[in-house]
Amino acid sequence: MSWPVLTSFAGYQRGWVRGDIVAGLTVWAVLIPESLAYATIAGLPPVVGLYAAVPALALYALFGSSRHLVVAPMSATAALSAGAVATVAAGGSDDYIALSAGLALAVGALALGAGFLKLGFLASFISGPVLKGFIIGLALTIMIGQLPKLFGVEKGGGNFFEQLWHLVTHLGDTSGITLAVGLASLVVLVVLKRWMPLVPGSLVVVGLGVLAVYVFDLAEHGVAVVGEIESGLPSLGIPDMTGNQFLELLGLAVGVMLVGFAEGLAASKEYAAKSGYHIDSDRELIGLGAANLGSGLCSGMVVNGSLSKTAVNGGAGAKSQLSTLTVSALTVVTLLFLTGLFEKLPEPTLAAVVIIAVIELIDLASLRRLYRVQTGRLARIYRYASRADFVAALAAMFGVLLFETLPGLIIGIFVSLVLLLARTSRPHVTQLRRLPGEGDNWVDARGRPELAGPDGVVVVRVEASLCFANADYVQDQIRALVDGTTTLVVVDGRTSPAIDVSAVDMLVQLKADLARQGVDLVLAQEVGQVRDVLRRASDHGEPAIFPTVDEVIRDHGEPTMHETDQADR
């Protein structure tokens, strides 16, 4: 792995400066209120979100491979952080704040180590549907946590459904003026997003909320405000925690790191594809690791790549990470001179910012699409596993809603792997019939019942690689197709790209068993690596191999060694 830094500046042109600066100003207007909000999701003082953003933006710009990705506090990892740290320390305590920074260090250490070891492929262990279901569940959980602030009622504890029930049963305690402020904030955000998308709605609504507190003295009328935000730069150094606490956080950090990496990688790849450059997944891990280490050492919180802010960055004309370096510098200015402006920010307004930020993540259309990806044929073949992606997405979503964030992610991954194994262990084994006309055209007999097969010949296709997990099932399915008139079984290998030793042994045994019934077993149109494994894994007795099914049938009988060798070659 090469180690250049600031790779997003390769081929930089002077004419890009203005666009990058403008994009930085635009992202800053969105990042400040959202970082304050995401810190509250993590159970931390709002200013911690700004502490985290400054080093994260600068260090990712130094080590990452994307020209557009914005790395900062995000809702998903903020919620994961809250769930993880709550198992170690009580919310609101000094230990909780210190361990939240410690979790950022743990995530940074894991990501950096994974990058050094070139483990960028780890993101593939979280399938797209699982991540989609997880994010939907997480967005719903975040929203239900913010709604009490919108209504001015006490927040309940427990999982999503317990919090929802608590809210419903306490609606009688709603503060009318708090709800009015919250709904007005939501309306302004929706209107600006719908009809004035280039206006930084989050910053506008925050400014209007602060102005309303001063003009109408809302704090004296029962509207909760953010309160004191400490100005100045954060303290630097390792958080106050023990070695055992860090080791405990290290285990919890694995899931946080995987989710943060997967989300950031998806955003960076999307914009790299639009702009025509390459993303190095291992360098992305290093950039994520450096950003989290910097955040942890600056009293911050877990950070990761943001799809929404990256979209703002790209849409505003960014060409390089100069835009995010601009955001980092502006955030320092905010910490030094502007925090007082946000102390009178109404909590229902902050809740509205969070709700609008996460509501787009509730992508029910994607769930409907996953549900539609099923046909009668798939249902007949795979049964309960025919909607594997939809089931895995639901498992992740309800896992989050019922059992919190990390268990929900693990449940989703586990269910997706179980369904994958189910489909692998019971592949579709179908009998084929030949289409009339020229060419070696054999199709599924179930779809063309009018076609007749050659007398005494059974042609089958296994729609999967042959391996230990499905060897017995495939053998049973082939045996079931053999009757008293069968003299030849041909396995069409075009849809079986790989084979392992267990499956080789199965084929050898099946050939011997069928031979005792006067039935020959041969292979046709195999993939090269299947032929190679058959040669090396079997001492004798493996099925002969022919180039095509038609050639097998023409030469029906005992192929000579010369014919078999020619077919192998």
Side-chain angles (χ1 to χ4, degrees), residues 89-156:
S93 65
D94 290 340
D95 279 349
Y96 186 95
I97 296 172
L99 292 176
S100 295
L103 181 65
L105 288 179
V107 170
L110 286 173
L112 210 58
F116 287 151
L117 295 174
K118 299 186 178 182
L119 300 180
F121 63 89
L122 284 173
S124 63
F125 284 95
I126 306 177
S127 71
V130 167
L131 189 58
K132 180 63 67 177
F134 170 78
I135 289 175
I136 291 173
L138 199 55
L140 289 170
T141 301
I142 292 169
M143 284 185 63
I144 200 63
Q146 297 299 312
L147 285 176
K149 296 179 182 179
L150 205 68
F151 285 85
V153 301
E154 182 182 354
K155 180 182 177 182

Side-chain angles (χ1 to χ4, degrees), residues 18 37 62 104 107 124 145 218 255 280 303 310 320 375 378 383 387 398 410 429 531 546 564-565:
R18 182 180 180 278
L62 188 65
V107 170
S124 63
L218 294 180
D280 183 333
V303 296
T310 302
S320 77
T375 64
L378 279 175
R383 300 179 184 175
R387 286 193 173 100
F398 281 104
I410 293 169
V429 180
R531 179 185 64 242
F546 287 78
T564 303
D565 287 345

Side-chain angles (χ1 to χ4, degrees), residues 169-399:
T169 55
H170 287 77
L171 286 178
D173 301 331
T174 298
S175 165
I177 190 168
T178 298
L179 181 59
V181 172
L183 291 179
S185 301
L186 284 173
V187 169
V188 172
L189 285 166
V190 171
V191 168
L192 290 178
K193 189 174 185 65
R194 175 67 178 84
W195 285 285
M196 303 177 69
L198 297 180
V199 175
S202 297
L203 192 63
V204 170
V205 80
V206 164
L208 291 175
V210 171
L211 182 62
V213 169
Y214 279 108
V215 172
F216 301 108
D217 203 13
L218 294 180
E220 295 299 321
H221 290 81
V223 176
V225 296
V226 169
E228 182 180 357
I229 299 176
E230 185 178 352
S231 63
L233 299 179
S235 58
L236 306 180
I238 296 175
D240 185 14
M241 61 181 176
T242 66
N244 288 336
Q245 286 175 322
F246 180 75
L247 291 176
E248 191 171 355
L249 290 173
L250 205 59
L252 298 169
V254 175
V256 183
M257 187 269 286
L258 283 175
V259 172
F261 175 55
E263 187 176 353
L265 188 64
S268 60
K269 283 188 173 181
E270 181 173 341
Y271 280 86
K274 291 179 179 179
S275 301
Y277 63 92
H278 174 67
I279 293 295
D280 183 333
S281 59
D282 296 319
R283 188 170 293 283
E284 288 301 288
L285 275 170
I286 292 171
L288 177 68
N292 274 284
L293 286 177
S295 176
L297 293 173
C298 293
S299 307
M301 57 183 285
V302 174
V303 296
N304 66 281
S306 164
L307 178 58
S308 60
K309 284 188 276 292
T310 302
V312 171
N313 196 33
K319 298 294 185 182
S320 77
Q321 286 289 330
L322 178 60
S323 63
T324 60
L325 291 174
T326 302
V327 181
S328 182
L330 290 171
T331 307
V332 170
V333 173
T334 303
L335 281 167
L336 290 174
F337 306 111
L338 303 178
T339 54
L341 295 177
F342 297 96
E343 291 181 349
K344 296 297 184 180
L345 174 61
E347 286 204 350
T349 297
L350 195 56
V353 171
V354 175
I355 290 170
I356 292 299
V358 302
I359 199 168
E360 293 181 352
L361 302 178
I362 305 175
D363 189 359
L364 298 181
S366 290
L367 289 182
R368 288 194 295 270
R369 183 176 68 87
L370 292 175
Y371 183 81
R372 289 197 306 268
V373 181
Q374 194 241 34
T375 64
R377 179 174 296 183
L378 279 175
R380 289 193 301 271
I381 295 170
Y382 296 113
R383 300 179 184 175
Y384 59 87
S386 61
R387 286 193 173 100
D389 291 333
F390 176 73
V391 172
L394 282 188
M397 184 182 76
F398 281 104

Side-chain angles (χ1 to χ4, degrees), residues 45 464 487:
T487 59

